[in-house]
Amino acid sequence: MIKYRVGWTWFGGGLTLSGAALTGWAYVLWHSAARDADPPGLMTVLFIGAALLFIGLVVAQVQVVVTTAELARAEGPAVDKAKWMVNQAAVIVRRRAWICAAAMAILAFGGGQRAFAAIGSGFPEFRDFAFVVGATITLIGLTLHASGTPDHGSAAGKVVMAGAGMGTAAAVMALTYVAATMPLWTEATTANEAARPAAVPETVGKVAWRWKPPEGVREPDVVPAGGGVVVQVPDGVVALDTTTGRERWHYRRPGARAYDVKASPDGRTVAIAFWPGEKAANQADHLVVLDAATGELRAVHPDAWGDIAYYAQDLLYGVTKWHGLFALGQDIAVTWSEDGFRVTGWDLDTSKARWQHTLPESCVEAPSVLDYPRNAMPVMLRDVVAVAAFCGQDLDDKLRRGQLGPVELQVTVLGLDPQTGSEVWRHQRTAKIDLRFVHLLPSVDAQAVAVTWRGENQPKDYGMVLAQADGRVLTDDRAGLDGWDLRTAPFTGEGSLTLPDSEKSSDYRWEPFEAGEVRTASVSVVGLAREVPHPTADLPLARAVVTTRPDPSGAGVVVLLTPWDTGDTRRIPVNFASPGDPVSLLLAPGAVVVVSGGDTMVVGLT
């Protein structure tokens, strides 16, 4: 019985030594990851107090070893005194071990709360579990050590059992690391192969499918990618085959909040920005990069690219929405620098800077001088990334004095190679510009980019469209390209859609930029609201124009299809529950996708 108790006592001693070391290491990881005053001050005080108590325990244990050695050397009457000293030292060890165990129990409880919060955040990390595991190992070790009899048994047996305790503690922490790094906290499926290629429709005529998102989804964000579309849901994304409306794959982080989704123009890459959830403790937002065709995970970047592009006006309900401020390519993301004089290309798989491009002399990037930088962020096109900059003498002094416009500047639009950052083309234009009203807009097919700005005494914006391949001007007509139309009506590398010039008109016009035939369509809106409270959605197809209107008869939203050069309008009810909310139309392989800003349904038209 004595040997049994001694064995578990020294096994607990080994657990205690290793657990204490692991707890200290985990505390360093925990504290170094904090972005504010966490870990809480009380936890820090308790940790320091527990460390001091542990030192006292070690001193008492050393005293047991010393008195045991003296007992072995004692002879005659000194033996009884030596035994008494050994027993007293053992009592002190047990008392201090119980006190340390009480302190470690509090630390383990606090660490456990953090671990549970991390699980609920959707992005638990090893450091979130390491502290509670280390504290729990130490607590168990102290309990065993305080319950046993440390002053009997052979020295070899004590060493063996202590070593076994140390090894057990190390093994438990190793298993914790494995569990924390495995995808246990992700709910995901993948597709075996890419979606079957399907042509974009030239016209549509019926509702082919409806997809109902998971419970709680409102205003779903939808982007074309992977041969279909990717739908943002509260905790991730779901990819749909747009020919059938069936789910192809999904990636979800229960507990986290997905607040932004982007797709590369070639449809091969999807990036999702996550906030770790309301219960998260000191975790940065995360950027998840997926293969859009299969849903396979490529990378997860916590707090990707440091603190770039954190703007106060982009804080919404506690979410730092900086992820929306970059242009996404297949394997690259492009941002502007904080000083406004450079553009940086970041590798999506490693989150490391791949290149930097310095703007021409006396030039500054548009976003660095705007109240709302998202309006003129870099734009990823098919082959280049477009960057808008402004150049002029003494520009820095004017900006510091708040002279945002109209100021005579040189508008410079650069087309950069996304792989190397080298300049492919440059377009420059001198004009008087109000820097508060600048937009850089990609075309629907990513084959062109539009630049709009407000000039001197201009109630409306000036606009021009540049070809993405070589930067040539496709159109430069202020009268024909109203800036508001460019921001609300779709355009491609071939032409632009001109919307009705008033809410009471229903005449649409397709104007090619270069060669091609001007097409018109007179959309019949008889019985529908002509003056709508929210913007309608419009989409030009090869053989028809598609637009939407609220239906006061009870069908929610109705899609209006009118072939070019006719007034023969076909109505397709989509039965959204909220007819007054904005609606989006997306051109995808095999279907036109209809999304409501106030409904939970995604509809495919073929």
Side-chain angles (χ1 to χ4, degrees):
M1 182 65 182
I2 291 180
K3 290 183 178 180
Y4 172 79
R5 293 176 64 189
V6 170
W8 281 110
T9 298
W10 286 91
F11 179 82
L15 284 179
T16 301
L17 289 174
S18 291
L22 292 170
T23 303
W25 171 58
Y27 180 83
V28 172
L29 292 178
W30 186 14
H31 189 67
S32 64
R35 297 177 61 190
D36 51 30
D38 194 76
L42 179 60
M43 288 291 290
T44 300
V45 171
L46 288 173
F47 180 80
I48 294 174
L52 295 175
L53 290 172
F54 186 77
I55 292 173
L57 174 62
V58 172
V59 171
Q61 187 62 64
V62 170
Q63 185 63 36
V64 169
V65 174
V66 171
T67 54
T68 301
E70 292 177 353
L71 174 61
R73 294 192 300 268
E75 296 179 357
V79 171
D80 292 336
K81 181 179 180 180
K83 286 183 178 180
W84 181 84
M85 293 178 63
V86 168
N87 291 331
Q88 288 299 109
V91 169
I92 294 174
V93 167
R94 287 194 291 271
R95 288 176 179 173
R96 292 186 180 180
W98 282 119
I99 295 174
C100 286
M104 292 308 301
I106 299 174
L107 290 177
F109 178 77
Q113 287 185 314
R114 179 188 175 96
F116 279 112
I119 292 173
S121 76
F123 284 92
E125 299 180 20
F126 170 64
R127 61 173 175 259
D128 298 313
F129 301 109
F131 185 82
V132 64
V133 170
T136 302
I137 291 173
T138 308
L139 173 61
I140 294 172
L142 288 168
T143 303
L144 291 174
H145 199 63
S147 302
T149 303
D151 56 327
H152 297 285
S154 66
K158 293 177 181 178
V159 171
V160 170
M161 293 303 294
M166 293 181 180
T168 301
V172 170
M173 189 60 77
L175 290 174
T176 302
Y177 177 80
V178 172
T181 54
M182 289 179 65
L184 300 174
W185 323 109
T186 305
E187 181 185 328
T189 61
T190 58
N192 295 328
E193 57 185 13
R196 289 176 294 179
V200 295
E202 295 184 348
T203 186
V204 293
K206 63 179 182 179
V207 173
W209 52 264
R210 300 176 184 273
W211 182 78
K212 187 74 173 179
E215 190 68 27
V217 176
R218 301 296 295 180
E219 302 184 13
D221 194 5
V222 183
V223 295
V229 293
V230 174
V231 185
Q232 177 185 317
V233 295
D235 55 3
V237 293
V238 178
L240 303 181
D241 186 324
T242 44
T243 60
T244 64
R246 296 173 182 170
E247 179 182 320
R248 298 194 64 251
W249 55 263
H250 68 261
Y251 182 93
R252 304 178 67 181
R253 287 272 186 168
R257 285 192 294 168
Y259 64 81
D260 194 17
V261 59
K262 281 181 176 292
S264 60
D266 59 11
R268 297 182 180 181
T269 302
V270 171
I272 311 107
F274 285 93
W275 184 246
E278 297 179 356
K279 296 181 179 180
N282 297 300
Q283 290 193 19
D285 40 4
H286 287 64
L287 186 71
V288 174
V289 183
L290 304 175
D291 184 298
T294 63
E296 294 178 354
L297 179 65
R298 287 177 49 182
V300 178
H301 302 304
D303 201 13
W305 313 322
D307 291 330
I308 64 165
Y310 276 84
Y311 292 91
Q313 63 268 24
D314 290 309
L315 296 178
L316 180 64
Y317 304 115
V319 176
T320 308
K321 301 187 71 170
W322 68 269
H323 288 98
L325 304 177
F326 68 86
L328 179 70
Q330 179 182 348
D331 58 359
I332 203 81
V334 180
T335 71
W336 53 78
S337 61
E338 291 182 354
D339 57 18
F341 298 105
R342 287 181 298 275
V343 186
T344 304
W346 304 86
D347 190 289
L348 282 177
D349 294 322
T350 65
S351 189
K352 297 184 181 299
R354 187 185 292 183
W355 53 260
Q356 277 197 335
H357 180 92
T358 302
L359 297 181
E361 188 175 355
S362 301
C363 293
V364 63
E365 293 175 71
S368 64
V369 297
L370 298 175
D371 291 334
Y372 301 96
R374 194 181 304 275
N375 295 341
M377 57 177 279
V379 170
M380 190 69 69
L381 304 172
R382 283 288 177 179
D383 303 310
V384 301
V385 56
V387 178
F390 298 99
C391 311
Q393 297 296 324
D394 303 323
L395 179 58
D396 286 343
D397 292 337
K398 294 177 181 178
L399 296 177
R400 280 195 293 269
R401 292 196 299 268
Q403 296 180 2
L404 296 179
V407 181
E408 186 167 309
L409 297 171
Q410 187 177 68
V411 183
T412 301
V413 183
L414 303 176
L416 305 180
D417 186 326
Q419 299 301 318
T420 64
S422 59
E423 185 176 315
V424 178
W425 53 260
R426 180 189 302 188
H427 178 84
Q428 295 177 314
R429 175 75 54 86
T430 300
K432 283 195 173 182
I433 302 168
D434 190 328
L435 295 176
R436 293 168 296 181
F437 302 96
V438 177
H439 292 80
L440 194 64
L441 307 163
S443 64
V444 173
D445 57 1
Q447 296 287 0
V449 62
V451 189
T452 69
W453 65 85
R454 185 164 297 179
E456 187 175 22
N457 299 322
Q458 292 182 5
K460 296 182 179 180
D461 291 354
Y462 184 94
M464 63 181 178
V465 179
L466 307 176
Q468 70 94 30
D470 52 16
R472 75 183 186 280
V473 177
L474 295 176
T475 185
D476 187 14
D477 186 356
R478 175 174 173 264
L481 269 180
D482 184 283
W484 178 254
D485 286 349
L486 278 176
R487 295 199 298 271
T488 58
F491 67 98
T492 70
E494 297 180 352
S496 64
L497 183 68
T498 301
L499 303 183
D501 57 7
S502 71
E503 291 181 337
K504 296 184 179 181
S505 173
S506 57
D507 294 330
Y508 290 78
R509 182 182 179 91
W510 173 257
E511 298 190 29
F513 291 138
E514 297 177 320
E517 181 182 359
V518 175
R519 312 296 298 270
T520 60
S522 182
V523 179
S524 173
V525 293
V526 176
L528 302 176
R530 288 179 176 270
E531 299 182 7
V532 294
H534 296 284
T536 59
D538 311 283
L539 186 65
L541 303 180
R543 294 165 49 192
V545 64
V546 182
T547 185
T548 64
R549 285 289 192 281
D551 186 359
S553 67
V557 172
V558 62
V559 174
L560 306 177
L561 176 76
T562 307
W564 290 116
D565 302 320
T566 74
D568 302 327
T569 300
R570 179 174 182 176
R571 301 187 179 186
I572 309 173
V574 292
N575 298 317
F576 285 137
S578 304
D581 289 308
V583 176
S584 300
L585 294 172
L586 298 173
L587 193 59
V592 169
V593 178
V594 191
V595 184
S596 172
D599 209 301
T600 60
M601 190 179 298
V602 180
V603 176
L605 306 180
T606 60

mmCIF file of all heavy atoms in Angstrom, residues 18 44 59 65 80 86 114 119 126 164 170 251 280 357-358 407 411 505-506 512 517 540 552 560:
data_model
loop_
_atom_site.group_PDB
_atom_site.id
_atom_site.type_symbol
_atom_site.label_atom_id
_atom_site.label_comp_id
_atom_site.label_asym_id
_atom_site.label_seq_id
_atom_site.Cartn_x
_atom_site.Cartn_y
_atom_site.Cartn_z
ATOM 1 N N SER A 18 5.901 19.207 -15.130
ATOM 2 C CA SER A 18 5.665 19.452 -16.553
ATOM 3 C C SER A 18 4.458 20.349 -16.769
ATOM 4 O O SER A 18 4.475 21.245 -17.629
ATOM 5 C CB SER A 18 5.463 18.133 -17.295
ATOM 6 O OG SER A 18 6.656 17.403 -17.337
ATOM 7 N N THR A 44 -3.947 37.509 -14.414
ATOM 8 C CA THR A 44 -2.505 37.723 -14.310
ATOM 9 C C THR A 44 -2.059 37.682 -12.855
ATOM 10 O O THR A 44 -1.037 37.069 -12.511
ATOM 11 C CB THR A 44 -2.131 39.075 -14.943
ATOM 12 O OG1 THR A 44 -2.512 39.062 -16.314
ATOM 13 C CG2 THR A 44 -0.638 39.323 -14.828
ATOM 14 N N VAL A 59 10.422 24.463 -2.838
ATOM 15 C CA VAL A 59 11.338 24.596 -1.698
ATOM 16 C C VAL A 59 11.018 23.554 -0.625
ATOM 17 O O VAL A 59 11.914 22.897 -0.072
ATOM 18 C CB VAL A 59 11.258 26.023 -1.118
ATOM 19 C CG1 VAL A 59 12.044 26.110 0.202
ATOM 20 C CG2 VAL A 59 11.794 27.035 -2.123
ATOM 21 N N VAL A 65 13.536 16.066 0.528
ATOM 22 C CA VAL A 65 14.664 15.293 -0.007
ATOM 23 C C VAL A 65 15.867 15.398 0.929
ATOM 24 O O VAL A 65 16.541 14.394 1.228
ATOM 25 C CB VAL A 65 15.024 15.779 -1.423
ATOM 26 C CG1 VAL A 65 16.293 15.080 -1.914
ATOM 27 C CG2 VAL A 65 13.872 15.536 -2.382
ATOM 28 N N ASP A 80 15.193 8.846 15.423
ATOM 29 C CA ASP A 80 13.845 9.293 15.739
ATOM 30 C C ASP A 80 13.643 10.767 15.386
ATOM 31 O O ASP A 80 12.593 11.160 14.835
ATOM 32 C CB ASP A 80 13.544 9.083 17.224
ATOM 33 C CG ASP A 80 13.467 7.603 17.564
ATOM 34 O OD1 ASP A 80 13.195 6.800 16.632
ATOM 35 O OD2 ASP A 80 13.672 7.261 18.739
ATOM 36 N N VAL A 86 11.445 14.450 8.790
ATOM 37 C CA VAL A 86 10.938 14.022 7.476
ATOM 38 C C VAL A 86 9.413 14.121 7.444
ATOM 39 O O VAL A 86 8.824 14.616 6.468
ATOM 40 C CB VAL A 86 11.406 12.592 7.155
ATOM 41 C CG1 VAL A 86 10.661 12.042 5.942
ATOM 42 C CG2 VAL A 86 12.903 12.566 6.915
ATOM 43 N N ARG A 114 -12.276 30.595 -21.439
ATOM 44 C CA ARG A 114 -11.719 31.097 -22.697
ATOM 45 C C ARG A 114 -11.783 30.033 -23.781
ATOM 46 O O ARG A 114 -12.087 30.326 -24.935
ATOM 47 C CB ARG A 114 -10.272 31.550 -22.480
ATOM 48 C CG ARG A 114 -9.621 32.066 -23.760
ATOM 49 C CD ARG A 114 -8.142 32.329 -23.564
ATOM 50 N NE ARG A 114 -7.531 32.713 -24.824
ATOM 51 C CZ ARG A 114 -7.318 33.966 -25.212
ATOM 52 N NH1 ARG A 114 -7.695 34.945 -24.425
ATOM 53 N NH2 ARG A 114 -6.752 34.233 -26.371
ATOM 54 N N ILE A 119 -14.173 27.991 -28.837
ATOM 55 C CA ILE A 119 -14.934 27.009 -29.623
ATOM 56 C C ILE A 119 -16.163 27.672 -30.220
ATOM 57 O O ILE A 119 -16.511 27.460 -31.394
ATOM 58 C CB ILE A 119 -15.321 25.810 -28.742
ATOM 59 C CG1 ILE A 119 -14.063 25.026 -28.348
ATOM 60 C CG2 ILE A 119 -16.306 24.901 -29.474
ATOM 61 C CD1 ILE A 119 -14.326 23.917 -27.352
ATOM 62 N N PHE A 126 -4.658 26.743 -30.923
ATOM 63 C CA PHE A 126 -3.965 25.941 -29.925
ATOM 64 C C PHE A 126 -3.776 26.704 -28.628
ATOM 65 O O PHE A 126 -3.950 26.159 -27.535
ATOM 66 C CB PHE A 126 -2.619 25.477 -30.485
ATOM 67 C CG PHE A 126 -1.724 24.845 -29.462
ATOM 68 C CD1 PHE A 126 -2.085 23.658 -28.835
ATOM 69 C CD2 PHE A 126 -0.520 25.445 -29.094
ATOM 70 C CE1 PHE A 126 -1.270 23.078 -27.889
ATOM 71 C CE2 PHE A 126 0.294 24.865 -28.154
ATOM 72 C CZ PHE A 126 -0.071 23.677 -27.551
ATOM 73 N N ALA A 164 7.475 9.210 -15.627
ATOM 74 C CA ALA A 164 6.232 8.817 -16.286
ATOM 75 C C ALA A 164 5.208 9.949 -16.260
ATOM 76 O O ALA A 164 4.476 10.178 -17.234
ATOM 77 C CB ALA A 164 5.654 7.573 -15.619
ATOM 78 N N ALA A 170 3.499 15.743 -21.296
ATOM 79 C CA ALA A 170 3.930 16.131 -22.639
ATOM 80 C C ALA A 170 3.043 15.495 -23.708
ATOM 81 O O ALA A 170 2.684 16.135 -24.701
ATOM 82 C CB ALA A 170 5.394 15.740 -22.854
ATOM 83 N N TYR A 251 -18.649 25.627 -47.081
ATOM 84 C CA TYR A 251 -17.606 25.834 -46.071
ATOM 85 C C TYR A 251 -18.204 26.751 -45.007
ATOM 86 O O TYR A 251 -18.541 27.911 -45.276
ATOM 87 C CB TYR A 251 -16.364 26.481 -46.679
ATOM 88 C CG TYR A 251 -15.240 26.673 -45.678
ATOM 89 C CD1 TYR A 251 -14.251 25.707 -45.524
ATOM 90 C CD2 TYR A 251 -15.156 27.822 -44.890
ATOM 91 C CE1 TYR A 251 -13.227 25.867 -44.604
ATOM 92 C CE2 TYR A 251 -14.137 27.985 -43.964
ATOM 93 C CZ TYR A 251 -13.185 27.003 -43.831
ATOM 94 O OH TYR A 251 -12.160 27.172 -42.920
ATOM 95 N N ALA A 280 -15.903 35.531 -28.951
ATOM 96 C CA ALA A 280 -14.456 35.390 -29.115
ATOM 97 C C ALA A 280 -13.726 36.338 -28.176
ATOM 98 O O ALA A 280 -14.197 37.437 -27.879
ATOM 99 C CB ALA A 280 -14.055 35.672 -30.551
ATOM 100 N N HIS A 357 4.613 48.100 -55.913
ATOM 101 C CA HIS A 357 4.740 49.008 -57.055
ATOM 102 C C HIS A 357 4.613 50.438 -56.541
ATOM 103 O O HIS A 357 3.613 50.797 -55.909
ATOM 104 C CB HIS A 357 3.659 48.733 -58.092
ATOM 105 C CG HIS A 357 3.744 49.629 -59.295
ATOM 106 N ND1 HIS A 357 4.450 49.275 -60.422
ATOM 107 C CD2 HIS A 357 3.229 50.867 -59.537
ATOM 108 C CE1 HIS A 357 4.362 50.243 -61.304
ATOM 109 N NE2 HIS A 357 3.623 51.219 -60.791
ATOM 110 N N THR A 358 5.631 51.252 -56.812
ATOM 111 C CA THR A 358 5.624 52.644 -56.395
ATOM 112 C C THR A 358 4.999 53.498 -57.489
ATOM 113 O O THR A 358 5.340 53.353 -58.670
ATOM 114 C CB THR A 358 7.056 53.131 -56.105
ATOM 115 O OG1 THR A 358 7.630 52.307 -55.084
ATOM 116 C CG2 THR A 358 7.058 54.570 -55.630
ATOM 117 N N VAL A 407 -9.767 70.447 -57.696
ATOM 118 C CA VAL A 407 -8.352 70.760 -57.808
ATOM 119 C C VAL A 407 -7.869 70.268 -59.159
ATOM 120 O O VAL A 407 -8.224 69.164 -59.577
ATOM 121 C CB VAL A 407 -7.540 70.090 -56.670
ATOM 122 C CG1 VAL A 407 -6.074 70.443 -56.785
ATOM 123 C CG2 VAL A 407 -8.083 70.503 -55.310
ATOM 124 N N VAL A 411 -5.374 62.829 -63.696
ATOM 125 C CA VAL A 411 -5.941 61.531 -63.380
ATOM 126 C C VAL A 411 -5.071 60.464 -64.038
ATOM 127 O O VAL A 411 -4.878 60.480 -65.248
ATOM 128 C CB VAL A 411 -7.380 61.411 -63.904
ATOM 129 C CG1 VAL A 411 -7.980 60.075 -63.491
ATOM 130 C CG2 VAL A 411 -8.233 62.556 -63.393
ATOM 131 N N SER A 505 -40.355 56.558 -67.457
ATOM 132 C CA SER A 505 -40.030 55.982 -68.751
ATOM 133 C C SER A 505 -39.654 54.514 -68.584
ATOM 134 O O SER A 505 -39.293 54.067 -67.493
ATOM 135 C CB SER A 505 -38.865 56.747 -69.389
ATOM 136 O OG SER A 505 -38.430 56.110 -70.568
ATOM 137 N N SER A 506 -39.724 53.744 -69.675
ATOM 138 C CA SER A 506 -39.362 52.333 -69.614
ATOM 139 C C SER A 506 -38.539 51.924 -70.839
ATOM 140 O O SER A 506 -38.562 50.774 -71.241
ATOM 141 C CB SER A 506 -40.623 51.468 -69.523
ATOM 142 O OG SER A 506 -41.481 51.727 -70.632
ATOM 143 N N PRO A 512 -22.983 50.005 -78.071
ATOM 144 C CA PRO A 512 -21.624 49.451 -78.156
ATOM 145 C C PRO A 512 -20.585 50.562 -78.055
ATOM 146 O O PRO A 512 -20.812 51.691 -78.504
ATOM 147 C CB PRO A 512 -21.598 48.786 -79.541
ATOM 148 C CG PRO A 512 -23.028 48.641 -79.934
ATOM 149 C CD PRO A 512 -23.756 49.770 -79.284
ATOM 150 N N GLU A 517 -24.147 47.247 -83.215
ATOM 151 C CA GLU A 517 -25.440 47.857 -83.482
ATOM 152 C C GLU A 517 -26.072 48.335 -82.186
ATOM 153 O O GLU A 517 -26.070 47.638 -81.176
ATOM 154 C CB GLU A 517 -26.353 46.829 -84.157
ATOM 155 C CG GLU A 517 -27.730 47.366 -84.509
ATOM 156 C CD GLU A 517 -28.610 46.287 -85.126
ATOM 157 O OE1 GLU A 517 -28.130 45.142 -85.280
ATOM 158 O OE2 GLU A 517 -29.773 46.589 -85.435
ATOM 159 N N PRO A 540 -28.265 43.393 -69.247
ATOM 160 C CA PRO A 540 -28.379 43.170 -70.686
ATOM 161 C C PRO A 540 -27.912 41.759 -71.053
ATOM 162 O O PRO A 540 -26.845 41.303 -70.623
ATOM 163 C CB PRO A 540 -27.434 44.226 -71.272
ATOM 164 C CG PRO A 540 -26.395 44.423 -70.221
ATOM 165 C CD PRO A 540 -27.072 44.188 -68.894
ATOM 166 N N PRO A 552 -47.430 44.981 -57.247
ATOM 167 C CA PRO A 552 -48.425 45.288 -56.198
ATOM 168 C C PRO A 552 -49.563 44.278 -56.126
ATOM 169 O O PRO A 552 -50.328 44.292 -55.167
ATOM 170 C CB PRO A 552 -48.944 46.674 -56.622
ATOM 171 C CG PRO A 552 -48.698 46.762 -58.091
ATOM 172 C CD PRO A 552 -47.448 45.969 -58.347
ATOM 173 N N LEU A 560 -38.939 41.201 -65.648
ATOM 174 C CA LEU A 560 -39.452 41.592 -66.957
ATOM 175 C C LEU A 560 -38.397 41.290 -68.013
ATOM 176 O O LEU A 560 -37.282 41.796 -67.945
ATOM 177 C CB LEU A 560 -39.800 43.086 -66.964
ATOM 178 C CG LEU A 560 -40.749 43.555 -65.858
ATOM 179 C CD1 LEU A 560 -40.944 45.064 -65.930
ATOM 180 C CD2 LEU A 560 -42.084 42.842 -65.953
#
